[in-house]
Amino acid sequence: MSQHRQDHAADTGCGCDAGADGAPAPPVRNRFYPGKLMDVRHWNLEQDYHRQTAATLARLGLGPGVLCGLDAELQEDGTVTVFPGAAVDGHGRLIVVDRPVRIEEPYQPTDCAGAPHGQPVRDGTVAVRLCRHECGSEFVRTPVVDCEVREECVPSLTLERFLIRITAGEPDEVGLSEEQCAAIFPARPGAHFDRREQVADTVEHECGCDDDCTVLATVTYSPEGAPDLDAVTARPVVYSNRVLFDLLMCLAGRVDACCAGRTLPPRITALWPQVGAGATPATWRAFVADKRLEIAFDRQLVDAAFDAPNPWLGLWQLDHTGARRLKLTRAAGALTRVTVPPGGEGAAYTVELDGNGLLTQTVFVVGSRVAVSGPPKAQDPDGLAVDPDLVGTGLTAEDRNTLWAMAPGNAKDTGLAALIDRAPLAAVPPFPTGNGTQGGELHVFAPPPPPTARVATGPRLLRVWPQGGSRLDAAGPLHPDLTRFARAPHVELTVDRALADAATAEPDGWVRLFQALRDGDRLAGFRRLELGSGARRGSDADPEAESVTYTFEAEGARLPSAGEPAAVFLLQVRSSTASAVPPVGADEPTLPLDAVFVGTGLDNHTLFSIWSGQQSLSPAPRIAALGARSSVAVDLFDGDPGGFVHLAFEVAPQ
């Protein structure tokens, strides 16, 4: 077991537990009177009132993020260390890390319980996330009364701990995007501009909770070099009022010192093709198809410069056979790829490009060189030249001088084949450009799409019957399903290819069905039903079938009689190689079943307790809190082998 998985029996969940409409729940507190009986439910209510109100204020007032500490460092041996500190998660709950945590394999994504999930990331980015985790402690014996009196061990304390989770992919950057900032604070507001109204219309004020895990850092891996840790870009930080006040005072001082009464030169705010981290494989292909370059500025410019772009704007095609400067011709029509900010201006150019002659590793370099006297220059009386400064390639000054010396439209210079290896940078600074002074140089690149690689996948879960969130009722459209289930209670799993016979013959380790024990409108607990071996149909009967269905008959199901409430059933599918007989594919690649679906409102700790045999729930939640979601027309897989499915359905009396 890796060291970054903390002591726990189960995870508290990966998702947000807010309502579907995102509305906050009103507080409920005890009302005391002489002789009131304080049972478990009312004591829990007493705690929950103070915990939930504090969490709501923290979530909506402070927001999620790091309060103090929690520094992340990449060690020489490739491990990552997270140091002690405190944070607020997306639910407004406090998370305290009381000791340094060493992550042995930061490249290995994990699931909600900290167990490995998915393929290790060797070329790409992973996020190190801090999650809240609760676990019981100081177990005591207590009598349980249902059909018979017995004793069970229950925790008498709840430890509010933490868990480190690794997820693959780039997380969202913190803060407002450039588009949101531009919308809130336009360069030239109109006569009726109301900044308060603009902020209210642009910035969302949602009541729902945010992600319950806080990003502490990202680690980027590359086959060519050492991993790189970034503990700034995607790491949310909650600043105290004192720190915010000090920052505002520093900013006010800087504005007074350097910008009072000063007009900034025009800057480049957007460019097509997209460059650096903003580029995608689709960007490269769309640019090659459009053969069009678009550029936007934050001020109006003298139009004559747009008709003669060669002195200040260049586009080059680089590959391992040489370099060529492409010819640009001013294009008519509206801009379709970039957005011009208020008070700004843009231009479009047709690119003389032969898409048939491109190599798979072709790189496009965009450059702009502007002298202090221009062109291009602003239309305003100050006549300031454009400030294009932005370093976005690894090309040397000599390399760039060579490129600028090339005539647009000429044949490829085969002597410049080495430039493509120096052009790309790991990261390109964002727009807008500029260093505050007229003139300068921009050089950025649009990377090619990565080579297509086939990723091995396991069998995928396509459908479950009875459907999650369904109610088998004689008065509804699912009457045939009710008859079918009542005749022989069972569940069916449909996958896109066959599972190993050993897994379907012994399903106990990866699929289980439970029937709820009702206490009026509450869930007193769950009783496990025995599932028989999976009977297979699909590809055996029809060689052309694109799926295989396994039927697991359930023993011990009690169906309701007339006048009784509907029976509630809970299905869990836990696909992992940790199972004694894992649900892997029958044919290569023999990877675990890809099954992921959150179909109930139960947290992972409760689900794991039910899976492990705990029949009673204390306190007993209302059946409405089960929150069964429909599994119809949704993906029950996420592309990574393994996973966890839980869903619920009801069976009414016949």
Side-chain angles (χ1 to χ4, degrees):
M1 183 179 295
S2 57
Q3 295 186 21
H4 65 276
R5 184 179 180 185
Q6 300 302 312
D7 297 332
H8 62 283
D11 175 49
T12 55
C14 290
C16 180
D17 60 4
D21 57 357
V28 178
R29 70 178 190 270
N30 276 310
R31 185 169 185 177
F32 296 100
Y33 55 85
K36 177 173 180 173
L37 176 64
M38 291 295 289
D39 56 8
V40 172
R41 174 174 174 267
H42 287 88
W43 280 119
N44 284 329
L45 185 66
E46 188 68 11
Q47 281 193 339
D48 290 345
Y49 173 79
H50 299 285
R51 294 175 61 220
Q52 291 175 6
T53 52
T56 301
L57 289 174
R59 173 166 56 87
L60 301 179
L62 288 177
V66 175
L67 295 172
C68 67
L70 298 178
D71 296 322
E73 291 184 3
L74 182 64
Q75 308 300 327
E76 293 182 357
D77 60 356
T79 62
V80 171
T81 300
V82 175
F83 292 92
V88 174
D89 71 2
H91 300 249
R93 303 171 302 188
L94 180 67
I95 307 176
V96 176
V97 178
D98 57 347
R99 57 184 176 81
V101 180
R102 180 187 176 108
I103 306 174
E104 296 287 351
E105 299 174 350
Y107 49 82
Q108 173 61 62
T110 62
D111 60 14
C112 302
H117 178 64
Q119 297 298 318
V121 176
R122 302 296 185 181
D123 185 8
T125 300
V126 298
V128 180
R129 300 175 183 266
L130 175 68
C131 311
R132 179 185 171 92
H133 172 72
E134 294 184 358
C135 51
S137 178
E138 295 192 12
F139 285 75
V140 297
R141 289 186 177 277
T142 184
V144 176
V145 179
D146 43 26
C147 293
E148 60 183 87
V149 179
R150 67 184 189 281
E151 286 189 340
E152 284 188 0
C153 286
V154 298
S156 62
L157 295 178
T158 297
L159 301 181
E160 298 183 347
R161 300 292 293 162
F162 64 92
L163 179 142
I164 301 293
R165 188 182 182 206
I166 306 296
T167 58
E170 291 272 3
D172 295 333
E173 294 187 6
V174 296
L176 299 178
S177 65
E178 293 180 18
E179 292 77 10
Q180 289 174 311
C181 289
I184 298 173
F185 306 112
R188 288 177 172 79
H192 302 289
F193 175 77
D194 187 327
R195 194 173 301 278
R196 292 168 299 176
E197 180 180 349
Q198 191 75 6
V199 171
D201 290 343
T202 308
V203 181
E204 298 180 355
H205 296 278
E206 298 179 347
C207 293
C209 57
D210 204 338
D211 192 343
D212 57 352
C213 295
T214 301
V215 176
L216 300 182
T218 60
V219 184
T220 301
Y221 293 90
S222 172
E224 294 79 21
D228 178 58
L229 184 142
D230 179 3
V232 176
T233 306
R235 174 190 177 99
V237 176
V238 180
Y239 295 102
S240 66
N241 288 335
R242 184 189 65 184
V243 172
L244 289 175
F245 180 78
D246 290 341
L247 290 174
L248 288 173
M249 294 303 295
C250 290
L251 177 61
R254 292 290 296 164
V255 170
D256 291 339
C258 70
C259 303
R262 177 185 175 191
T263 302
L264 294 176
R267 301 177 300 170
I268 300 173
T269 59
L271 181 69
W272 173 263
Q274 289 178 307
V275 296
T280 65
T283 298
W284 191 90
R285 288 189 285 267
F287 170 68
V288 171
D290 291 351
K291 298 179 177 58
R292 181 181 174 92
L293 182 148
E294 295 185 3
I295 189 169
F297 304 86
D298 60 0
R299 293 179 61 183
Q300 295 280 333
L301 304 182
V302 177
D303 193 64
F306 292 143
D307 294 328
N310 291 340
W312 63 275
L313 183 63
L315 176 63
W316 293 267
Q317 172 187 334
L318 276 59
D319 56 43
H320 287 102
T321 64
R324 176 173 178 260
R325 184 173 182 182
L326 304 177
K327 185 177 180 180
L328 302 177
T329 304
R330 181 110 184 245
L335 300 180
T336 59
R337 295 291 188 176
V338 301
T339 301
V340 178
E345 187 173 10
Y349 295 91
T350 300
V351 181
E352 189 178 275
L353 172 65
D354 182 7
N356 295 325
L358 298 181
L359 302 179
T360 56
Q361 293 300 310
T362 297
V363 168
F364 295 101
V365 172
V366 182
S368 178
R369 278 188 170 181
V370 178
V372 175
S373 57
K377 298 191 297 184
Q379 285 187 11
D380 295 329
D382 57 42
L384 296 177
V386 168
D387 178 9
D389 286 286
L390 185 65
V391 177
T393 75
L395 298 173
T396 65
E398 182 179 356
D399 294 336
R400 303 196 300 274
N401 290 336
T402 302
L403 292 178
W404 279 100
M406 301 174 69
N410 280 5
K412 180 182 295 184
D413 188 338
T414 57
L416 301 178
L419 292 186
I420 187 174
D421 295 325
R422 296 197 289 269
L425 278 183
V428 176
F431 288 93
T433 64
N435 62 1
T437 60
Q438 300 182 73
E441 182 176 6
L442 167 145
H443 48 102
V444 292
F445 77 99
T452 303
R454 186 180 179 198
V455 179
T457 60
R460 298 183 301 176
L461 181 63
L462 302 180
R463 291 181 298 280
V464 174
W465 185 92
Q467 303 155 353
S470 63
R471 178 184 173 89
L472 310 187
D473 196 324
L478 298 182
H479 181 218
D481 286 357
L482 173 61
T483 304
R484 181 177 163 197
F485 187 87
R487 184 182 303 116
H490 67 280
V491 293
E492 297 178 1
L493 305 181
T494 301
V495 295
D496 64 352
R497 63 184 177 92
L499 301 177
D501 291 341
T504 57
E506 299 183 26
D508 174 72
W510 61 278
V511 55
R512 296 181 183 177
L513 181 65
F514 305 87
Q515 182 169 359
L517 304 174
R518 302 184 59 133
D519 181 9
D521 64 344
R522 294 186 176 274
L523 291 171
F526 283 89
R527 177 172 56 87
R528 178 180 163 190
L529 308 179
E530 293 296 328
L531 295 181
S533 300
R536 170 178 170 178
R537 76 172 192 269
S539 59
D540 287 343
D542 181 6
E544 301 298 325
E546 297 181 355
S547 63
V548 181
T549 298
Y550 293 94
T551 300
F552 301 92
E553 293 189 358
E555 296 183 6
R558 184 187 178 280
L559 301 182
S561 302
E564 291 184 336
V568 178
F569 293 88
L570 170 69
L571 177 69
Q572 295 193 45
V573 178
R574 294 178 178 263
S575 175
S576 169
T577 54
S579 173
V581 185
V584 298
D587 302 320
E588 295 289 344
T590 55
L591 297 173
L593 173 66
D594 181 1
V596 177
F597 179 64
V598 179
T600 75
L602 299 176
D603 61 71
N604 279 21
H605 178 76
T606 301
L607 289 166
F608 187 82
S609 299
I610 296 170
W611 177 275
S612 301
Q614 179 177 315
Q615 291 194 6
S616 61
L617 298 181
S618 180
R622 295 186 181 277
I623 293 180
L626 190 60
R629 290 178 51 204
S630 173
S631 63
V632 180
V634 297
D635 288 337
L636 305 182
F637 54 86
D638 64 358
D640 286 329
F644 179 29
V645 167
H646 54 96
L647 55 84
F649 59 92
E650 295 184 0
V651 177
Q654 282 189 290

